[in-house]
Amino acid sequence: KWTHEHWVKNWGWCIMILTVIINLVLLPLRISSMKSAMKMQKLAPQIKSIQEKYKKYSFNDPRRAEMNQEVTALYKKEGANPVGGCFPMLLQFPFLVAFYAMLTAAIELRHAPWLWVHDLSAADPYHILPIALIVTMFLVQKATPTAGMDPMQQKMMNVMMPVMLGFISWSLAAGLGVYWVASNILALAQQLVLYQTKFGREMKAQ
């Protein structure tokens, strides 16, 4: 409401501005999460090598503990934390859920127009936003490090997750679509910028 009163008199652009502000505030957490994921991806070949060495032993074999010790020692040596990427994401979650809930309940979006959308509280009549969500989510999935994931499983996730979210958003309020698409574009931009840093270049070379 403050953004609408002081900055721009259109609820669609207000949603987009607020999405940018939320993402900027949470940027340090996202960077921490992405760095942790990239570090884990960098270590994935070494972890796989350790696992291959012990795969002949059954799960209840005492020698399996040696595998865990080797993996833990590798994490400690490289300064990696397997759950380091999860904690920053968990801190972001309440903000994202609250914003999602607010957009679902905001009466101001009733019959509010934005570009080709005539009512931000109703579904996009041309389904441009759900399609944009699928495309941007696919690009975000492709750009996000997925350490230790099976290549076939990764391909399925890269396709299934965007299609599933696109299907969910097909009949949801267009205001939510504006938020989701803007968030994905910002997440993709942040990921690509991080890849240009020294650490990102080293990870890609590895």
Side-chain angles (χ1 to χ4, degrees):
K1 285 181 178 178
W2 189 92
T3 308
H4 188 266
E5 289 170 8
H6 295 87
W7 285 2
V8 60
K9 299 294 182 182
N10 181 281
W11 290 108
W13 293 118
C14 287
I15 291 169
M16 198 163 282
I17 290 168
L18 197 53
T19 304
V20 171
I21 292 170
I22 288 173
N23 276 271
L24 287 174
V25 170
L26 298 176
L27 181 58
L29 295 177
R30 269 208 180 151
I31 289 174
S32 173
S33 179
M34 288 188 289
K35 278 187 174 180
S36 181
M38 290 201 310
K39 195 169 282 188
M40 287 299 296
Q41 189 181 48
K42 187 178 178 180
L43 293 178
Q46 296 174 63
I47 293 169
K48 190 174 181 181
S49 176
I50 294 170
Q51 290 169 341
E52 286 289 324
K53 191 167 69 171
Y54 288 92
K55 75 174 183 179
K56 59 185 176 183
Y57 303 118
S58 62
F59 283 102
N60 56 356
D61 193 300
R63 282 167 290 194
R64 278 274 176 168
E66 295 176 21
M67 180 187 79
N68 295 331
Q69 288 171 4
E70 279 194 48
V71 171
T72 303
L74 180 63
Y75 287 151
K76 190 174 181 180
K77 178 187 171 186
E78 298 294 335
N81 185 348
V83 297
C86 302
F87 185 62
M89 294 300 292
L90 288 174
L91 290 177
Q92 293 179 48
F93 194 65
F95 292 92
L96 302 180
V97 170
F99 194 47
Y100 178 95
M102 182 275 293
L103 288 178
T104 308
I107 190 118
E108 290 84 358
L109 300 186
R110 299 265 176 96
H111 306 296
W114 177 75
L115 297 179
W116 68 90
V117 178
H118 303 298
D119 184 355
L120 285 167
S121 67
D124 181 347
Y126 306 111
H127 303 296
I128 294 171
L129 288 170
I131 292 168
L133 174 63
I134 292 171
V135 173
T136 54
M137 178 61 74
F138 175 77
L139 294 173
V140 169
Q141 290 282 100
K142 288 284 285 182
T144 303
T146 49
M149 188 180 287
D150 178 74
M152 200 65 199
Q153 186 183 5
Q154 186 178 339
K155 283 181 182 178
M156 286 180 65
M157 283 293 291
N158 285 346
V159 174
M160 287 178 62
M161 184 69 75
V163 170
M164 185 181 71
L165 286 175
F167 178 77
I168 290 170
S169 68
W170 202 260
S171 57
L172 290 180
L176 288 170
V178 173
Y179 163 66
W180 257 347
V181 172
S183 287
N184 284 346
I185 292 170
L186 288 166
L188 181 62
Q190 289 167 4
Q191 188 73 58
L192 294 176
V193 168
L194 193 59
Y195 273 129
Q196 301 308 311
T197 63
K198 183 183 176 184
F199 181 82
R201 289 195 299 270
E202 285 177 2
M203 194 277 300
K204 278 166 42 175
Q206 180 78 12

